[in-house]
Amino acid sequence: MCGIAGFCDFTQNLNNEYTKNKNIVIEMGKTLEHRGPNDSGHYISEHVAFAHTRLAVIDLLGGVQPMKRIEKGYEYAVVYNGELYNTDEIREDLRRKGYTFNTTSDTEVLLVAYIEYGTDCPKYFNGIFSFAIWDSFHRLCFLCRDRFGVKPLFFSVVDQKVVFGSEIKALFEHPSIHPVINQYGLCEIFGLGPARSPGCGVYEGVNEVMPGHAAIIDYSGMKLYSYWSLTAEEHRDNYEQTVEKTRELLLDSIRRQLVSDVPICTLLSGGLDSSVVSAVAANVLKEEGKKLDTYSFDYNENTKFFKASSFQPTEDRPFVDIMVDAIGSNHIYLECDHHSLYETLYEAVIAKDLPGMADVDSSMLYFCRQIKKNHTVCLSGECADEIFGGYPWFRDEEAYNTNAFPWSKNLDYRKSILSPHLRKVLPLDDYVQSEYQKTIRAVPKLDGESKLPARQREISYLNTSWFMTTLLDRKDRMTMASGLEVRVPYADHRLIQYLYNVPWEYKYHNNEVKALLKDAVKGILPDEVLNRKKSPYPKTYDPKYENLLKEELRKIMSDDSAPIHMLIDHEAIHKLMEGNSDYGRPWFGQLMATPQLYAYLIQTNFWLKHYNVTLKI
């Protein structure tokens, strides 16, 4: 994985002010050095300036970027962030067409694929990617992002220039772009956050190339379009056939994503999803005479303070132990103390350029730094719950009957902590409902579907296009802040497309949560792990952490210069902190309860101050 940045300007020849443009794009690239600590480079042509920072994973010596290629007298150049998992197949196809290759890198394959297939090239890719290509033959710049947005790609159009980058911070190094938040940005922060509307960068004028989308930039401007999307199709396979097809797609995805020229590890929580990935990876490595390294996360003294709930019924450690014995991995147990968890909240904001999932982010960042000491590439079980229906709201009757995001059904709690002025001027309810309805209108459905299957499709689509994207966004930023590449086999587009059309009664076969996945992986896992009740990413239950948050939030509220001062209702927050926190009633997802609200406000205050955000209310 890597970091990319740059800008396109068809109103002038960038070579005429080469030094100036070089300095700008180099500074943009420097903001992304954490994503690619191994190498960096830049490229300037007539109308584009590219910067790249490299995390070397495939062809450590030959995959240097920006990569250029001359074909029939025309120059093509690429900056690319990602991995192609079908590199060998594409390379062989291109060789049959007469192309030769100088490296074993997927970067060269991607560039040659563009030269051969043009803007249709992403349709041939199985992988995670965002990239920019300069095409001197057609005199255009091509931007592209993978089908589910595993890899980020932000952009802004200003002064007839298109400025882009893997992270928003790179855009702010361009002299024409500044951190400004208007009322719609505040609706994102307080109404939808830590999620973001598809394509929205929150800051005024900052956008994101949506998953499955590409852009052509030339003399006529910028044209964004969708090259891939989920489609609704009649599911004709019976249950046994569906189980077999699911197993085939999932195992193929995991095996493909084990390709690397550096050692691979997995995240192993002891849950179903990560255990499947780890078990398959361990078997593949065993065939090669190698042993898999695995990691699990927890918090100091969490066993002492753990409180079971419907969202988090069991601790992870006993199930991790079962899996380690079963697959014979080299396992490392990582723990985080409450002080480190708190301190990393601020660094998590810088990693994301926005307030995020509070300690869910900061813990991931902390743990990834520990993993990076030994590994560069890691596989994760992320995304399985979205596509197999693992979350509680897939079975929540209220979610089916409420026109709202299932993981954040009620805005009253969010609005209660806002200042009276902000509640008056922000169109919070209208904004959130508008974004919800926009997604519902886009849901692919079959003609004549009855009400219940149609709503089940809506719940599924909301999860893949919103909740999954939020978790992938978090995963990318927290891992890449440490120079750690994390791959997500469950996000394979072939698997997600197939499962989108599988009826709910198959996924919930015999009223068993994630029954389809369990049946598909039978024989791979010990029964205790296979039948374990879902338990999400761990969080701390240590009261010392919550007390630390309250102490910091009180300091912020007593500081008249604190930028969040004018946005919050001090009396409401003081009253909240005086009561008992309910860990079992999250306001976002499964993990963000009252302590995470305190942390989110602390992050928001730090974000406004650190980025010197201009508020336009």
Side-chain angles (χ1 to χ4, degrees):
M1 301 297 169
C2 308
I4 67 173
F7 53 93
C8 314
D9 186 349
F10 282 85
T11 67
Q12 60 176 309
N13 186 333
L14 297 181
N15 286 313
N16 291 339
E17 294 186 278
Y18 181 87
T19 301
K20 172 188 170 185
N21 291 316
K22 181 189 77 170
N23 291 339
I24 292 172
V25 83
I26 286 176
E27 290 304 311
M28 291 177 70
K30 282 181 180 177
T31 67
L32 303 174
E33 286 178 345
H34 52 278
R35 297 185 69 92
N38 300 128
D39 200 2
S40 64
H42 68 276
Y43 169 85
I44 296 177
S45 186
E46 187 179 358
H47 296 302
V48 300
F50 290 165
H52 186 268
T53 60
R54 186 183 184 214
L55 182 67
V57 173
I58 301 290
D59 193 353
L60 307 188
L61 298 178
V64 176
Q65 297 185 51
M67 184 175 285
K68 296 183 291 184
R69 186 178 178 110
I70 304 293
E71 200 70 39
K72 297 179 180 178
Y74 292 96
E75 185 168 84
Y76 301 83
V78 64
V79 283
Y80 157 58
N81 167 33
E83 297 289 346
L84 296 186
Y85 303 130
N86 62 340
T87 299
D88 291 344
E89 295 99 311
I90 298 173
R91 184 188 289 114
E92 286 308 306
D93 180 60
L94 293 169
R95 277 180 174 150
R96 286 192 293 269
K97 295 179 186 300
Y99 292 96
T100 58
F101 293 85
N102 301 312
T103 73
T104 60
S105 73
D106 56 343
T107 306
E108 187 178 19
V109 169
L110 185 146
L111 181 57
V112 175
Y114 172 83
I115 295 170
E116 174 63 22
Y117 303 118
T119 56
D120 281 339
C121 67
K123 297 176 182 178
Y124 293 82
F125 299 154
N126 180 318
I128 53 179
F129 50 82
S130 63
F131 61 86
I133 290 177
W134 166 244
D135 174 348
S136 71
F137 177 71
H138 294 99
R139 303 185 73 74
L140 63 82
C141 180
F142 182 59
L143 301 182
C144 189
R145 192 175 181 209
D146 65 68
R147 294 169 181 84
F148 287 101
V150 179
K151 293 290 104 184
L153 185 55
F154 294 93
F155 73 93
S156 187
V157 181
V158 58
D159 300 331
Q160 300 183 66
K161 302 179 186 70
V162 177
V163 185
F164 67 89
S166 295
E167 296 178 12
I168 297 171
K169 57 177 63 68
L171 275 58
F172 292 149
E173 287 303 312
H174 192 282
S176 300
I177 302 174
H178 309 283
V180 177
I181 295 289
N182 58 28
Q183 63 174 350
Y184 302 114
L186 288 176
C187 285
E188 290 280 333
I189 295 293
F190 291 113
L192 294 168
R196 286 187 289 111
S197 300
C200 176
V202 181
Y203 295 92
E204 187 174 75
V206 174
N207 304 285
E208 190 171 20
V209 175
M210 288 172 58
H213 280 64
I216 295 172
I217 307 162
D218 58 18
Y219 292 102
S220 64
M222 180 179 191
K223 178 190 174 186
L224 277 161
Y225 65 95
S226 170
Y227 69 84
W228 187 90
S229 61
L230 284 171
T231 56
E233 300 167 2
E234 186 177 349
H235 187 75
R236 299 181 182 277
D237 294 344
N238 62 31
Y239 186 70
E240 290 71 24
Q241 291 169 328
T242 302
V243 168
E244 186 56 37
K245 181 67 172 177
T246 300
R247 182 184 180 97
E248 175 190 325
L249 288 169
L250 177 57
L251 297 192
D252 181 68
S253 176
I254 297 170
R255 290 185 180 117
R256 281 180 181 273
Q257 297 193 26
L258 291 170
V259 176
S260 173
D261 289 339
V262 295
I264 279 199
C265 65
T266 66
L267 306 183
L268 176 60
S269 70
L272 173 64
D273 312 330
S274 66
S275 295
V276 171
V277 173
S278 297
V280 175
N283 285 335
V284 171
L285 291 183
K286 196 177 296 182
E287 291 170 3
E288 300 172 359
K290 302 174 184 175
K291 200 170 185 178
L292 177 68
D293 294 323
T294 54
Y295 291 86
S296 62
F297 310 151
D298 210 338
Y299 303 90
N300 289 359
E301 298 189 305
N302 225 29
T303 298
K304 177 181 175 182
F305 298 109
F306 177 76
K307 299 174 184 177
S309 70
S310 60
F311 285 101
Q312 203 134 19
T314 56
E315 291 185 89
D316 286 341
R317 179 66 180 257
F319 297 94
V320 171
D321 293 341
I322 292 169
M323 280 303 302
V324 170
D325 287 342
I327 66 176
S329 64
N330 294 315
H331 190 75
I332 301 95
Y333 296 95
L334 298 176
E335 288 194 346
C336 180
D337 63 85
H338 69 279
H339 277 290
S340 298
L341 186 63
Y342 165 75
E343 289 166 1
T344 316
L345 280 173
Y346 303 100
E347 296 166 83
V349 173
I350 297 171
K352 194 172 183 181
D353 301 315
L354 289 164
M357 295 186 76
D359 47 66
V360 186
D361 280 358
S362 64
S363 59
M364 174 63 73
L365 179 56
Y366 176 85
F367 290 131
C368 286
R369 286 176 174 168
Q370 311 311 309
I371 296 172
K372 178 60 179 178
K373 294 174 182 178
N374 302 304
H375 289 87
T376 298
V377 180
C378 188
L379 268 67
S380 163
E382 208 89 72
C383 304
D385 286 312
E386 289 85 351
I387 62 176
F388 285 101
Y391 295 123
W393 49 79
F394 277 97
R395 304 171 300 282
D396 180 5
E397 188 175 341
E398 185 184 357
Y400 277 75
N401 296 320
T402 305
N403 287 319
F405 295 106
W407 50 86
S408 187
K409 291 181 291 223
N410 194 313
L411 297 181
D412 291 346
Y413 188 53
R414 291 167 174 262
K415 291 189 293 186
S416 70
I417 54 92
L418 298 181
S419 70
H421 173 70
L422 209 58
R423 288 200 296 268
K424 186 182 296 184
V425 300
L426 282 190
L428 213 60
D429 291 285
D430 289 345
Y431 186 89
V432 173
Q433 186 58 209
S434 173
E435 291 302 319
Y436 170 81
Q437 292 296 342
K438 195 185 301 181
T439 306
I440 294 299
R441 288 193 295 271
V443 175
K445 296 178 183 177
L446 290 175
D447 292 337
E449 272 186 322
S450 59
K451 184 178 179 181
L452 182 58
R455 182 57 177 164
Q456 287 167 340
R457 278 196 189 274
E458 289 176 353
I459 298 291
S460 176
Y461 190 76
L462 285 165
N463 274 272
T464 54
S465 59
W466 277 84
F467 200 75
M468 188 172 86
T469 303
T470 301
L471 296 185
L472 288 173
D473 182 66
R474 160 197 173 237
K475 181 77 77 177
D476 173 84
R477 235 60 97 245
M478 297 310 121
T479 58
M480 293 305 293
S482 312
L484 177 69
E485 174 187 321
V486 173
R487 300 172 179 176
V488 278
Y490 289 101
D492 186 293
H493 70 278
R494 301 166 303 159
L495 178 63
I496 298 179
Q497 170 60 50
Y498 181 73
L499 291 173
Y500 180 69
N501 291 297
V502 170
W504 174 245
E505 54 265 29
Y506 283 10
K507 295 178 183 177
Y508 196 47
H509 192 59
N510 292 330
N511 294 324
E512 174 75 22
V513 177
K514 289 164 77 170
L516 175 58
L517 176 57
K518 292 175 181 179
D519 286 341
V521 299
K522 271 184 180 172
I524 294 177
L525 304 180
D527 287 344
E528 303 98 311
V529 176
L530 187 71
N531 299 313
R532 180 191 179 189
K533 285 186 177 181
K534 175 180 168 46
S535 194
Y537 182 88
K539 67 178 179 182
T540 183
Y541 291 85
D542 189 339
K544 293 192 289 293
Y545 174 67
E546 183 176 350
N547 291 336
L548 197 58
L549 295 175
K550 287 180 178 179
E551 181 183 341
E552 179 60 21
L553 195 51
R554 288 190 180 101
K555 285 181 186 176
I556 290 170
M557 290 193 295
S558 66
D559 179 4
D560 290 342
S561 68
I564 202 174
H565 189 70
M566 57 188 269
L567 303 179
I568 57 175
D569 186 328
H570 291 231
E571 185 179 342
I573 294 172
H574 277 299
K575 187 176 179 180
L576 191 64
M577 290 194 290
E578 288 166 4
N580 293 323
S581 293
D582 187 346
Y583 284 71
R585 297 187 64 187
W587 53 275
F588 182 87
Q590 302 175 91
L591 301 175
M592 298 187 72
T594 303
Q596 285 68 44
L597 177 65
Y598 303 148
Y600 189 71
L601 293 175
I602 291 168
Q603 283 193 322
T604 300
N605 184 72
F606 173 76
W607 162 66
L608 292 168
K609 188 174 183 179
H610 181 82
Y611 285 79
N612 194 23
V613 174
T614 299
L615 292 175
K616 290 171 62 176
I617 306 175

